[in-house]
Amino acid sequence: MKQIRDFKIVENRRIHRSYTLLRLTPTDGNPLPEIKPGQFVQVAVEGSRTTFLRRPISINLVDTEANEIWLLVRNAGDGTARLMELASGDVINLVLPLGTGFTIPENKHARVLLVGGGVGVAPLLEFGRVLKSNGVAPAFLLGARSEGDLLELDLFANIGDVYLSTDDGSVGDPGVVTLNRCLHQQWDNIFCCGPAPMMKAVAAKAREIGADCEVSLENMMACGIGACLCCVEKTVKGNVCVCTEGPVFNIKDLTW
């Protein structure tokens, strides 16, 4: 069930020149709602003269013991820049949880690869954690421009094997993620989040090797509840709102 709640910032940690990690806990002290990996929140931005709409942000991690959620925020404009300036103790308002989540494979022995690029790695951390807790051993393929742009590597490594790709070849395999040698292996399930060209290329690779594949779309969103229609995506079943029918889709349902 969707909720509109105030959250206090426990920590705002700058982990990269363009990214900050927000750890949030409900101000009322009540437990978090049930959240599925791949769902997102809509964040109200206060104090901006140019940002009037909430900003959609993937849920990076859910810590039920600490009653916290983590948001990985990329500086993409005035709205997100304002969020990155917030301090511990500040309060922000969220609508959550929104959208659909990733599908957990029923086969615990399935070979599962989670592919992320840039800020698209954010929902894969929580998904990987949940997969592991459900007895599925995930591996990760993470891509970035250079070694310094790779995010949360230590956290991913605590969950499963990590393969890396960098555009400049500074670490891992050189080039885009679809050139990574790990894709020469056989995978049963591939899950992907990142820039659209990357996801389309991963989807094509998944079809080539016969892997089931889900992607998390990053269409522009305004309301998060299917009212504004600005995030519409064409699918084999017709046009749908990504914020309500997605953001996670099986590639069989997309017109890619």
Side-chain angles (χ1 to χ4, degrees), residues 223-238:
C223 70
I225 58 173
C228 68
L229 304 181
C230 76
C231 66
V232 168
E233 178 77 15
K234 185 178 181 181
T235 73
V236 296
K237 302 174 184 178

Side-chain angles (χ1 to χ4, degrees), residues 92-154:
I92 57 176
N93 186 265
L94 308 181
V95 181
L96 80 164
L98 297 172
T100 61
F102 293 107
T103 302
I104 297 176
E106 294 182 2
N107 179 10
K108 296 187 184 301
H109 301 290
R111 301 206 68 225
V112 178
L113 182 66
L114 278 55
V115 185
V119 76
V121 305
L124 302 184
L125 183 64
E126 173 64 8
F127 187 35
R129 186 193 67 78
V130 170
L131 285 172
K132 186 176 181 180
S133 68
N134 278 271
V136 179
F140 301 93
L141 170 55
L142 309 177
R145 292 180 179 177
S146 66
E147 181 177 9
D149 297 316
L150 291 162
L151 306 171
E152 302 184 316
L153 289 185
D154 56 335

Side-chain angles (χ1 to χ4, degrees), residues 206-220:
R207 290 190 178 98
E208 179 184 322
I209 65 176
D212 189 75
C213 182
E214 290 183 354
V215 296
S216 179
L217 303 188
E218 296 184 329
N219 294 33
M220 185 71 69

